[in-house]
Amino acid sequence: MLNAVRHVLVVDAVSDRVAYVMASLPGMELEAVATPVAALDRVVGSAFDAVLLDPALGDDEDGALALLHRVRTVAPDTVVVIWSEAPTVSFAVRAMRAGALDVLKKTADAAEIRSVVERAISHGALAREVRRLRGEVERARGLGEVIGESALMRQLLAMIDRVAASDATVLIVGESGTGKELLARTIHRVGPRSEGPFVAFDCSALAPTLLEAELFGHEKGAFTGANRARRGLFREAQGGTIFLDEIGDVDASVQNKLLRVLQEREIKPVGSDRTVAIDVRVVAATNKDLKALVGRGQFREDLYWRLAVVPIQVPPLRERKEDIRHLVAHILARRRGAAKSFAGSEVRYPTQITAKAVARLESYRWPGNIRELENVLSRAAILCDGEIIRSHDLDMLGLDRPHGAAGAGPGSGDDDRIELPPIDLDRLGDGDGLKDLTERAVRAVERAALAAALRRDRNPALAARRLGISRASIYTKMKTYSLGPDGSSSAD
């Protein structure tokens, strides 16, 4: 690794200064960009050893720090050196507090430039090695699959670390899709029962009579269809952990028996007169407010307190949006090597995503949480062309546009919006029918999508492939809507 070529990104709009840096860093591979947007696009998914960032591109000191923060957000492993014409002491202090490693004057001689950049490269390599070793330790302890570096997730991981070492019953509360089962499995892997079985069960999946038999087992002939005895999930989890998902959906009759299990640590199989001692850790989860259910008499209060010996609240994704970039990287990396098929040929799934696409994901509220994020990335990977997911690849996936996109004009690329024609409900049945309204809306959407594809590709054949239509169809539609090859109106 000592002789490896080092990659440095220079973010500067002045070509003479870029040439000076390149001459000062012989043997390194340098790339230059002149705008903040280009810088953000390049650092996402690219392995630069260091970035020289001109704060003048941020207009003022606050803008420069905002740009620095954005670079550090989309590429947290990238080491940034501020490359400034005349930095003030106060700005240098603020920049280093914001994550810059150093502040370098553009008037510095070649030796100083090389020294600062080499120190940044060494610092980045050390930080990545520390992160790698920490990841190995966490994976060995079972925490590696829980992704997130936000304050909320650090608190959650600290709680799991403490709870897992005990044998206490745990109640995990959180919205659907937040990863409650993953946390339960993590508690099991990190805890003292890691060598025992982990048994997961969705309590909402069966009727009360079948649920009781599934959990506690039954004797042969206990009910119609019971042709043989069954041990039940509690006995299957003996010496390990049983995870009871959707515990808030359990019927009152089963709640009574669960309470006895937690109190006495024994079960009674259906159709049997004898009890069976069990040694099982119980982890339960719900997306419901159990306290509210207790208040309405729909959930036993004593059972609630038995389950919530250690309650853990899982934050929804919208409350920890700074983790989205880490989750996206993790999900795409997990897909590495997979392929999608098109007409018999295979194309590798993308493992990179642009800064604009990440920003768009961060602007969405994620009602389905991490499960929805995984689905969106899977669909975007299938729909995108090439090896990088871009913002426009999310257009068909139901995601809201980032704030500020509504005012985008023609040619704004990823910020194109479709404005539907106004609907006058007072005219329904009096000149306008549902079919008329629908046809106008469809034509508006079709024309806008066609124009956006032509503006982006500047080539009808490429635009047709993007839209999934034939060349003949796109030329027919271009004529129908009076659109030129670049998406402009040919009628103007």
Side-chain angles (χ1 to χ4, degrees):
M1 291 299 293
L2 293 177
N3 297 321
V5 176
R6 301 305 187 183
H7 301 268
V8 179
L9 179 67
V10 183
V11 187
D12 196 321
V14 181
S15 58
D16 290 346
R17 290 300 186 186
V18 173
Y20 180 53
V21 172
M22 290 183 172
S24 302
L25 300 174
M28 297 188 188
E29 188 172 298
L30 274 75
E31 182 177 338
V33 293
T35 66
V37 172
L40 293 172
D41 278 337
R42 288 301 298 129
V43 297
V44 174
S46 300
F48 287 105
D49 295 290
V51 173
L52 289 181
L53 178 64
D54 182 3
L57 296 176
D59 297 330
D60 55 22
E61 287 192 358
D62 289 336
L65 294 176
L67 176 57
L68 170 63
H69 174 73
R70 191 64 183 145
V71 171
R72 295 281 298 150
T73 296
V74 299
D77 286 336
T78 300
V79 181
V80 179
V81 174
I82 293 295
W83 164 248
S84 178
E85 198 73 52
T88 63
V89 173
S90 63
F91 174 72
V93 171
R94 292 175 68 197
M96 294 177 72
R97 285 177 177 172
L101 178 70
D102 207 340
V103 177
L104 182 63
K105 287 186 178 181
K106 291 186 178 182
T107 55
D109 58 30
E112 184 179 356
I113 292 174
R114 187 171 185 86
S115 174
V116 170
V117 171
E118 286 181 342
R119 187 165 68 86
I121 290 170
S122 298
H123 179 87
L126 179 61
R128 286 190 292 273
E129 180 65 10
V130 169
R131 183 186 293 270
R132 184 187 68 80
L133 293 173
R134 182 181 295 144
E136 288 186 0
V137 171
E138 289 181 346
R139 281 191 292 275
R141 297 171 59 221
L143 297 176
E145 289 296 309
V146 183
I147 306 299
E149 296 187 5
S150 63
L152 287 174
M153 285 305 294
R154 287 198 298 269
Q155 293 172 9
L156 182 62
L157 286 170
M159 171 69 80
I160 290 173
D161 203 16
R162 290 194 297 269
V163 169
S166 72
D167 209 23
T169 302
V170 177
L171 177 63
I172 304 174
V173 182
E175 296 178 6
S176 294
T178 50
K180 296 187 291 294
E181 182 172 344
L182 174 61
L183 293 179
R185 290 183 181 275
T186 301
I187 290 170
H188 171 73
R189 285 197 302 268
V190 177
R193 295 177 177 267
S194 58
E195 298 300 320
F198 178 88
V199 177
F201 181 69
D202 183 353
C203 296
S204 65
L206 295 175
T209 53
L210 296 176
L211 176 61
E212 183 180 349
E214 188 74 14
L215 291 175
F216 310 131
H218 60 79
E219 298 296 327
K220 181 178 179 180
F223 50 85
T224 303
N227 300 320
R228 59 185 179 85
R230 182 179 179 85
R231 286 169 52 83
L233 296 180
F234 270 94
R235 277 195 281 180
E236 294 292 340
Q238 184 74 5
T241 303
I242 187 168
F243 173 57
L244 302 177
D245 199 8
E246 305 299 349
I247 193 70
D249 293 332
V250 172
D251 186 77
S253 61
V254 182
Q255 290 180 31
N256 297 335
K257 295 180 172 61
L258 275 176
L259 178 62
R260 179 175 179 81
V261 170
L262 295 173
Q263 287 177 334
E264 307 297 336
R265 296 291 166 176
E266 61 183 25
I267 61 171
K268 180 182 287 188
V270 176
S272 174
D273 294 328
R274 59 184 180 85
T275 59
V276 179
I278 56 166
D279 177 22
V280 173
R281 181 178 195 169
V282 176
V283 178
T286 182
N287 59 8
K288 297 183 176 180
D289 185 346
L290 290 190
K291 285 187 176 180
L293 293 181
V294 169
R296 295 196 296 267
Q298 297 173 350
F299 199 87
R300 291 188 60 128
E301 184 176 13
D302 45 4
L303 176 58
Y304 170 77
W305 292 115
R306 284 287 181 180
L307 290 170
V309 175
V310 181
I312 294 179
Q313 184 74 42
V314 186
L317 191 53
R318 63 181 173 275
E319 293 181 4
R320 55 183 188 101
K321 289 192 174 182
E322 57 267 51
D323 290 329
I324 287 178
R325 64 184 183 275
H326 301 293
L327 288 164
V328 168
H330 175 73
I331 293 167
L332 292 180
R334 205 170 57 196
R335 287 281 191 179
R336 195 180 302 276
K340 50 183 176 178
S341 296
F342 293 104
S345 62
E346 288 191 340
V347 182
R348 300 182 76 81
Y349 264 86
T351 55
Q352 296 184 37
I353 186 168
T354 66
K356 280 188 176 180
V358 172
R360 189 167 174 186
L361 294 174
E362 289 175 340
S363 72
Y364 184 59
R365 283 188 56 78
W366 298 109
N369 293 292
I370 300 172
R371 186 180 298 125
E372 184 182 8
L373 176 61
E374 289 181 325
N375 290 341
V376 163
L377 289 175
S378 294
R379 295 198 298 273
I382 292 169
L383 293 173
C384 78
D385 295 320
E387 299 180 356
I388 301 176
I389 296 176
R390 303 183 185 279
S391 179
H392 63 258
D393 294 318
L394 306 173
D395 284 348
M396 300 176 64
L397 304 180
L399 266 68
D400 301 331
R401 280 286 183 178
H403 297 302
S412 58
D414 284 335
D415 293 330
D416 290 331
R417 286 180 66 89
I418 295 174
E419 296 294 338
L420 294 178
I423 297 175
D424 187 356
L425 296 178
D426 292 333
R427 285 178 55 84
L428 283 177
D430 184 19
D432 270 350
L434 182 60
K435 183 178 179 181
D436 300 316
L437 296 175
T438 304
E439 286 178 353
R440 283 208 301 273
V442 169
R443 285 173 61 85
V445 170
E446 189 172 65
R447 188 186 192 283
L450 192 69
L454 289 168
R455 281 198 301 270
R456 185 169 292 124
D457 296 312
R458 305 275 172 167
N459 183 310
L462 293 177
R465 188 173 69 174
R466 181 184 298 279
L467 295 169
I469 60 178
S470 67
R471 291 188 184 185
S473 293
I474 198 168
Y475 282 110
T476 300
K477 293 179 185 296
M478 286 167 62
K479 183 177 180 180
T480 300
Y481 296 118
S482 300
L483 292 173
D486 62 350
S488 63
S489 177
S490 60
D492 296 338

